[in-house]
Amino acid sequence: MYGDTVVMRRRAGQLREQGADIRAAGIGPFTADTAAAVRDIAGEFVQPEEAVPSLPAATAGALPKGLGGLIENLTSTSSGVGVHRVADGRYIAYLPGPDGGSSARLRLVGGDHTTYAAKVSETLSRAVTDPGARVMLVGSGPGGLVAAELAGQPGATYTIEQVVTAGSPSAQAPRLPAGVRMLSLEDRSDPVALLGSLMNVEATNRLTVVFDGGADGNGADPYVTGARAADEAGHPELRAELDRPVDMGYLSR
């Protein structure tokens, strides 16, 4: 034991001398950082958080044609959030999920959607600049859930008045203000596709459209196909729901 103690004291002395040399060179003391150790061990599996994208003035463009055009724009959004200024005071924000159209990445940390929600909120705050602007949120998967949650949060400088989700039954869980309407598109082949319609059966500001996806033989995204089928449907309640964003200036017929 005595020998071990002596070795430890000698090492301590050496460390003190090295510390003096480091301070003389103008280098501060090193700090213990377990996060750095985790990064060293995890290697390539740890992905750094993406910075909030630097957006120019929100992209102006033609109005999406119906629900089909809206979902087509959503599926082609490659980043985690895309904001389009479709008219004076009118914006559409596309939320395809944290990884956009790319395949999911393996992540060691940050598995919930909190970081993604903060990124979407900050991007909207910077991109939506018109005083009194109105916003439609369009999301799929976790993007749909984030859209529903943001629509229920007060205090933004803009007003969210419409939410459209595709393949996001969990978006039915958050409470929506009475003035916000939600249209949800779900594929019947999804085992939880009917969950949304069961949860919002008594809600007057939510409508869930369940379609039979199947295979169209053209390799098209099933939700784009389902949205186009909805555009052609004659159900009066669905027609009224699809006419509303047209009348508000978000979509064209």
Side-chain angles (χ1 to χ4, degrees):
M1 180 177 294
Y2 178 77
D4 291 342
T5 303
V6 170
V7 171
M8 292 175 64
R9 286 177 178 172
R10 287 177 180 172
R11 288 178 179 169
Q14 291 171 357
L15 289 174
R16 283 195 295 271
E17 292 174 0
Q18 292 171 358
D21 294 339
I22 291 174
R23 288 192 297 274
I27 301 174
F30 296 105
T31 59
D33 185 358
T34 55
V38 171
R39 286 193 296 270
D40 291 340
I41 295 171
E44 63 183 36
F45 295 107
V46 177
Q47 298 289 339
E49 291 296 339
E50 296 180 0
V52 175
S54 178
L55 292 178
T59 307
L63 295 177
K65 185 176 181 180
L67 185 61
L70 193 69
I71 301 303
E72 188 172 10
N73 285 352
L74 173 65
T75 59
S76 63
T77 301
S78 58
S79 60
V81 53
V83 182
H84 290 186
R85 183 175 183 270
V86 294
D88 290 343
R90 290 291 183 275
Y91 292 79
I92 300 176
Y94 296 99
L95 283 59
D99 300 305
S102 63
S103 59
R105 297 177 303 172
L106 176 61
R107 294 178 58 87
L108 184 65
V109 294
D112 62 25
H113 60 270
T114 305
T115 301
Y116 178 52
K119 175 181 175 179
V120 171
S121 181
E122 185 173 349
T123 302
L124 284 170
S125 296
R126 292 194 294 108
V128 179
T129 56
D130 297 9
R134 304 278 174 162
V135 177
M136 170 193 280
L137 300 180
V138 187
S140 59
L145 178 58
V146 167
E149 290 182 343
L150 291 180
Q153 295 177 2
T157 56
Y158 48 84
T159 299
I160 297 172
E161 57 183 355
Q162 177 74 50
V163 175
V164 176
T165 68
S168 185
S170 58
Q172 304 297 334
R175 295 179 61 86
L176 289 180
V180 179
R181 298 196 65 85
M182 176 187 285
L183 173 63
S184 298
L185 194 62
E186 301 295 344
D187 188 343
R188 193 183 300 274
S189 64
D190 187 325
V192 292
L194 299 180
L195 176 62
S197 58
L198 293 175
M199 293 181 64
N200 67 20
V201 65
E202 296 183 357
T204 59
N205 60 340
R206 299 178 187 243
L207 178 65
T208 300
V209 179
V210 180
F211 66 95
D212 290 312
D216 63 1
N218 297 321
D221 186 286
Y223 280 93
V224 174
T225 302
R228 289 173 177 164
D231 285 332
E232 299 298 324
H235 190 283
E237 187 177 359
L238 176 57
R239 292 264 40 98
E241 200 68 29
L242 293 177
D243 286 342
R244 183 173 183 270
V246 173
D247 296 338
M248 292 191 299
Y250 292 109
L251 303 178
S252 66
R253 288 187 173 85

